[in-house]
Amino acid sequence: MAGSGRGKSPLVADRRYGGAKPAGGGGRTPPKKPSPPRRRSPRKRGLIAGLVFGLISLIWRIVWGISWRIGAVTALILFGATFYFYAQLPPVTDLLDGRARGSVTLLDRDGRVFAWRGETFGGTITSDTVSDHLRNAVVATEDKRFYRHFGISPRGIASAVRINLSEGRGPLSGNGGSTITQQVAKLLCLGVAYDPAKWKSEAEYETDCRQGGVWRKIKEVPFALAMEWKYSKADILTIYFNRAYLGAGARGFEAAAQRYFGRSANQVGPAEAAMLAGLLKAPSYYAPTNNMERARDRASVILGLMEEQGFLTAAEVKEARANPARLSQAAQAKAGGFFADW
């Protein structure tokens, strides 16, 4: 036991820093520091390239400076005009009866209507009380983005301009791309009241209100924005439903429903709703009392739009086309003829 461990070399710790590598390969070499990246010398631009770059930069600064100033001034003018119209807009209830002339409803000895004369107004209705089919037909026909825009639709205007130019018309001639809000603005004559000293008759006043043109389109924008600011979407539809002229002397959808079908606007089905909505494009031309076949063809187009936008199923459209709207007995009698006139 006393001789155990003899003949072995003594234990020696490895050297960690400096000096030669110890025998046996147990040492570690310190990692080398990465050499710093070489910097490339800046590339020298040529004289011409520098002048071109400087000129482009100067033009961009000038264009940007002018553009944002013009944009800011335009926004201020638009806000001022919108606020001006907003302050002048009356309550919704003051805008519902749009008749320019009075009306007479003639009844027979049993109390049934047999004729109308003048502009009929069936009474105030709201967008919440009319038939769902009628409300959907109007939105599908006139402004499918009505619930998503803020009064004007740049997308709709651009599409209308493209269609007008492709058909050889002026950019604002024909299709105007007007939203329902803009159409209501036109029905209200952009807030201009009838003045007998300025217009010879109310008919001339209404004709002037319906005229187009660039300046009127420009004025429609702040007026439509003011309406969207002041009224709800339901209020705007309510004004539209009561003031729109729908042919045969009918002012508003309630009067038109009673005039053509002998029922209220809250009772019409898909076929009748489509025919009423089709009148908005050209009331006298598509009036069923004028040409029933033409009115039904237009209603068929409206039914297709309602199906396309998810308001009706294919089965409902097929049913409505198989059973188109029919005139009431009073409407078929040509509103009393000469006897009513007498």
Side-chain angles (χ1 to χ4, degrees):
M1 295 296 294
S4 63
R6 289 181 181 178
K8 291 184 178 181
S9 60
L11 296 176
V12 179
D14 293 341
R15 294 183 63 186
R16 300 184 64 181
Y17 305 102
K21 185 177 179 181
R28 297 180 182 177
T29 57
K32 293 182 178 180
K33 295 182 179 180
S35 57
R38 285 176 138 188
R39 293 186 179 180
R40 295 181 179 181
S41 58
R43 192 174 180 181
K44 295 182 179 179
R45 289 195 183 95
L47 177 61
I48 297 178
L51 289 174
V52 171
F53 180 81
L55 181 61
I56 293 174
S57 178
L58 176 62
I59 293 173
W60 168 250
R61 286 198 299 268
I62 293 174
V63 171
W64 170 248
I66 294 175
S67 298
W68 79 260
R69 286 173 173 82
I70 292 176
V73 172
T74 303
L76 286 174
I77 294 174
L78 180 61
F79 176 78
T82 302
F83 183 78
Y84 171 78
F85 287 127
Y86 172 85
Q88 292 188 331
L89 286 173
V92 173
T93 52
D94 294 349
L95 301 174
L96 301 185
D97 190 348
R99 285 177 296 176
R101 298 178 297 277
S103 63
V104 175
T105 302
L106 304 179
L107 309 177
D108 63 15
R109 67 182 64 185
D110 298 321
R112 293 174 300 189
V113 175
F114 75 91
W116 299 268
R117 288 298 180 267
E119 287 193 349
T120 56
F121 182 67
T124 300
I125 56 173
T126 68
S127 63
D128 298 327
T129 59
V130 300
S131 164
D132 291 341
H133 296 304
L134 180 55
R135 182 172 57 253
N136 294 337
V138 170
V139 172
T141 307
E142 296 299 313
D143 188 1
K144 64 181 180 181
R145 301 184 187 90
F146 174 69
Y147 292 104
R148 300 194 296 272
H149 62 63
F150 48 87
I152 58 174
S153 176
R155 186 173 168 184
I157 294 173
S159 177
V161 169
R162 178 180 56 81
I163 293 172
N164 292 334
L165 292 176
S166 66
E167 295 179 354
R169 297 191 298 262
L172 297 178
S173 301
N175 292 288
S178 296
T179 64
I180 286 178
T181 310
Q182 287 176 279
Q183 293 181 49
V184 173
K186 194 172 293 186
L187 287 173
L188 299 176
C189 204
L190 302 180
V192 178
Y194 172 65
D195 183 2
K198 186 175 181 181
W199 291 278
K200 296 179 181 179
S201 65
E202 292 179 343
E204 185 180 333
Y205 163 71
E206 289 195 348
T207 301
D208 183 57
C209 291
R210 287 192 293 267
Q211 286 181 354
V214 176
W215 177 240
R216 187 171 291 272
K217 277 289 182 185
I218 292 174
K219 288 179 67 177
E220 275 182 19
V221 173
F223 197 93
L225 293 175
M227 290 185 64
E228 292 277 348
W229 185 4
K230 181 122 182 176
Y231 307 131
S232 66
K233 293 288 188 180
D235 290 338
I236 293 171
L237 275 180
T238 295
I239 299 171
Y240 195 47
F241 285 148
N242 284 277
R243 292 189 72 103
Y245 180 71
L246 298 168
R251 180 71 66 173
F253 280 90
E254 179 66 17
Q258 294 180 13
R259 173 73 177 84
Y260 297 125
F261 310 126
R263 62 179 63 187
S264 175
N266 61 8
Q267 298 173 328
V268 296
E272 295 164 333
M275 187 172 287
L276 289 173
L279 295 170
L280 291 166
K281 183 176 183 180
S284 299
Y285 184 76
Y286 289 111
T289 50
N290 185 22
N291 189 315
M292 175 56 83
E293 183 180 356
R294 191 159 53 205
R296 285 177 175 172
D297 289 342
R298 175 65 178 162
S300 181
V301 174
I302 306 305
L303 289 169
L305 293 174
M306 295 175 71
E307 180 186 3
E308 180 184 316
Q309 297 176 36
F311 294 123
L312 292 175
T313 64
E316 290 173 325
V317 171
K318 184 177 180 181
E319 173 69 18
R321 285 173 174 164
N323 299 280
R326 300 178 182 277
L327 289 174
S328 66
Q329 186 175 355
Q332 290 177 2
K334 301 296 183 183
F338 294 109
F339 176 72
D341 292 339
W342 174 77

